[in-house]
Amino acid sequence: MKRLQFLQKVTLCICTATLLIASATVEGRTKHKTPAAAQPQKAQETKPEETPAPTDVQPAPAPLPQPGALNVPVPPAPTLDAKSWVLMDYASGQVLAESGADTRVEPASITKVMTSYVVGAQLAAGKIKMDDEVYISENAWRGGGASTDGSTSFLALNSKVALKDLLYGMIIQSGNDAAIALAEHTAGSEQTFAALMNQHAQQLGMTGTHYVNPSGLPAPEEYTTARDIATLSRALIRDFPEEYKIYAIKEFEWNGVKQHNRNSLLWRDASVDGIKTGHTKEAGFCLATSAKRGDQRLIAVVMGTGSEKARADANQAVLNYGFRFFETHKLYDANKPLAQPVLWRGANDKIGLGLADDMLITLPRGRYNDLKATMELPSRLIAPYAKGQKIGVLRVKLDDKVLIERPLVVLGDEPEGGLWRRFSDDVGLWFKSAPTTETSAAPSTAVAAPAAPVQ
């Protein structure tokens, strides 16, 4: 009997201790809650003692109000006499205005932008070199040479030309013979090169595009969209900046013949540094341009206008519209903690959450201080988690409209804790009645001030 009473007392002591530990665990893990949504505050008004606890959502500092900034409405984009067009911000990739951006159209010589991209990728991989001597085949000579009606670099049959000169000839002179010769040298044939073009298009997310040849000469199954051309142009500028510099060159001489770049905006607007013209009877007059003013770069694509002047005027109009009424800001840096919520059953007490890539946003000028950012996180986070695993969402809104949404990811591996840690947390979780699958908003409206200028 005495032995039984002793065991009962020991059991009671263990249970009491467990309850005290669980109570302390719950209290310690819930005393710091994610703050509710609030308007951004001035950075200089934050006092040291008001710094959020480590478990709080921690976005970057709020922006300072801009003195005299007015909420000026943005007018509609200009109306263009074109089959389709699109205006894109280079840094954020946001489409600022468009008309029929996903309509299938014939690409004409704008196809050569993808040819240039593929050649750039092969150069970067070391598979071809700028000083390669490229053989000018009969196919290149007959298909795109001086005897054709299309644009040409006047390459001589059976001659050898440095790859660099062919690249310049294709980009500046829009030489069809140069494009064909580059394709044959890079992939062995136009058909194989076209397959490479389509593979790159798929990787870049160009869902409305299909290539048949490297020159853009008319073909029934060759098509693209204004949006896809803008996407490709952005990738070219980003991935091969040295090659992109060729697009700004106004003239190029080869074999005694000097030809001017057909992009007339290079002469009209000093901020324009590319990209490519195109024209066939079916496609009309097309032009993809890019311009940089200050720290902002825009990409405009206009397809199917009635004349060379019309395509230049249309591109100029949408570029001016974009620069006048929109601005781009960097909100958050990649791989920096924006939230450090409680982690259960883990080796650490908290888990760091952030973005896999920098977050940039384009919005109407003067509206930066009106942005609101919210985070949506699960109510419970239970280890283990792997680095890069998606947990929750960060949304940025303007006037209750979501402008951009990105997943929050785990910034480092978070393994399970030891046996005692898991046991005590399990007891603590038992006292928390909320189900582990419940999702609740954990908002924070602080929006980061611009960091380095957006390039």
Side-chain angles (χ1 to χ4, degrees):
M1 180 63 70
K2 290 182 179 180
R3 181 181 178 86
L4 179 60
Q5 290 176 345
F6 175 75
L7 290 174
Q8 289 175 339
K9 289 181 180 180
V10 170
T11 302
L12 179 62
C13 290
I14 292 174
C15 291
T16 301
T18 301
L19 290 173
L20 290 173
I21 291 170
S23 177
T25 300
V26 172
E27 180 181 357
R29 287 179 173 274
T30 58
K31 66 178 180 179
H32 294 306
K33 296 184 179 180
T34 303
Q39 292 297 326
Q41 297 179 347
K42 296 181 181 179
Q44 64 265 33
E45 292 179 351
T46 302
K47 300 178 182 179
E49 60 269 19
E50 295 173 348
T51 301
T55 53
D56 290 340
V57 172
Q58 297 177 17
L64 298 178
Q66 301 175 6
L70 298 176
N71 185 2
V72 179
V74 176
T79 301
L80 306 181
D81 186 11
K83 292 179 181 178
S84 63
W85 62 273
V86 68
L87 176 66
M88 177 183 287
D89 180 83
Y90 166 75
S92 66
Q94 287 176 241
V95 170
L96 309 183
E98 57 91 11
S99 176
D102 297 311
T103 301
R104 282 187 179 182
V105 292
E106 183 180 319
S109 280
I110 293 181
T111 297
K112 296 182 176 83
V113 179
M114 177 56 88
T115 302
S116 167
Y117 187 90
V118 175
V119 170
Q122 296 293 305
L123 285 167
K127 295 183 178 181
I128 56 176
K129 297 179 180 179
M130 278 289 199
D131 57 0
D132 284 354
E133 291 293 314
V134 179
Y135 175 71
I136 308 305
S137 69
E138 183 174 353
N139 179 53
W141 180 72
R142 288 189 181 278
S147 61
T148 64
D149 293 331
S151 52
T152 179
S153 291
F154 298 97
L155 303 176
L157 175 63
N158 297 328
S159 64
K160 290 187 177 181
V161 181
L163 188 147
K164 179 180 179 181
D165 291 331
L166 292 177
L167 194 59
Y168 274 62
M170 181 186 70
I171 293 172
I172 303 168
Q173 301 171 339
S174 196
N176 293 324
D177 48 358
I180 296 171
L182 283 169
E184 290 178 339
H185 180 74
T186 301
S189 69
E190 286 190 85
Q191 293 75 18
T192 304
F193 189 86
L196 269 178
M197 296 169 74
N198 289 318
Q199 287 175 344
H200 280 285
Q202 185 177 14
Q203 290 175 354
L204 295 174
M206 298 168 61
T207 57
T209 296
H210 183 261
Y211 294 107
V212 175
N213 61 59
S215 61
L217 290 169
E221 293 303 315
E222 183 147 297
Y223 53 83
T224 188
T225 67
R227 189 189 305 275
D228 280 359
I229 293 173
T231 298
L232 170 62
S233 301
R234 183 175 182 237
L236 175 69
I237 298 168
R238 178 194 66 218
D239 297 341
F240 307 114
E242 290 302 312
E243 183 177 333
Y244 179 68
K245 291 178 181 179
I246 303 172
Y247 286 82
I249 299 174
K250 296 180 179 179
E251 60 184 25
F252 179 65
E253 182 176 344
W254 172 253
N255 201 21
V257 180
K258 181 183 290 187
Q259 297 187 70
H260 296 288
N261 195 315
R262 289 169 169 78
N263 182 2
S264 61
L265 286 189
L266 293 175
W267 283 267
R268 186 193 298 185
D269 186 342
S271 69
V272 173
D273 54 13
I275 304 174
K276 191 72 187 71
T277 62
H279 171 253
T280 63
K281 182 179 179 180
E282 295 79 8
F285 291 85
C286 310
L287 177 61
T289 57
S290 181
K292 186 176 181 183
R293 300 179 189 176
D295 296 322
Q296 187 177 20
R297 176 180 288 281
L298 297 179
I299 296 169
V301 179
V302 178
M303 307 296 289
T305 65
S307 68
E308 291 186 22
K309 183 178 184 302
R311 71 186 178 189
D313 290 346
N315 272 262
Q316 186 79 79
V318 293
L319 286 173
N320 289 341
Y321 170 77
F323 284 118
R324 173 63 183 84
F325 293 106
F326 294 90
E327 60 187 359
T328 299
H329 292 277
K330 182 179 182 180
L331 299 187
Y332 301 107
D333 291 318
N335 302 314
K336 290 189 177 180
L338 297 181
Q340 292 180 301
V342 168
L343 178 65
W344 295 87
R345 301 187 91 245
N348 298 310
D349 291 333
K350 308 170 199 63
I351 181 171
L353 302 178
L355 299 171
D357 300 296
D358 294 344
M359 176 180 278
L360 298 101
I361 192 167
T362 306
L363 68 158
R365 289 192 179 275
R367 300 298 310 278
Y368 179 64
N369 295 326
D370 299 325
L371 291 176
K372 292 180 174 60
T374 61
M375 295 183 190
E376 184 176 294
L377 303 174
S379 59
R380 293 181 183 179
L381 297 174
I382 302 175
Y385 289 103
K387 181 179 180 179
Q389 189 171 343
K390 296 177 182 179
I391 299 179
V393 176
L394 172 65
R395 297 185 181 92
V396 179
K397 297 181 179 181
L398 181 66
D399 297 335
D400 295 326
K401 178 183 178 181
V402 176
L403 294 185
I404 190 169
E405 179 177 301
R406 294 288 184 271
L408 291 166
V409 300
V410 180
L411 298 180
D413 290 334
E414 294 293 349
E416 285 187 331
L419 180 62
W420 174 250
R421 174 62 180 273
R422 298 198 306 272
F423 169 73
S424 61
D425 278 7
D426 283 342
V427 176
L429 285 168
W430 184 76
F431 278 87
K432 282 179 66 70
S433 58
T436 59
T437 56
E438 181 181 346
T439 303
S440 60
S444 166
T445 57
V447 179
V454 174
Q455 298 297 324

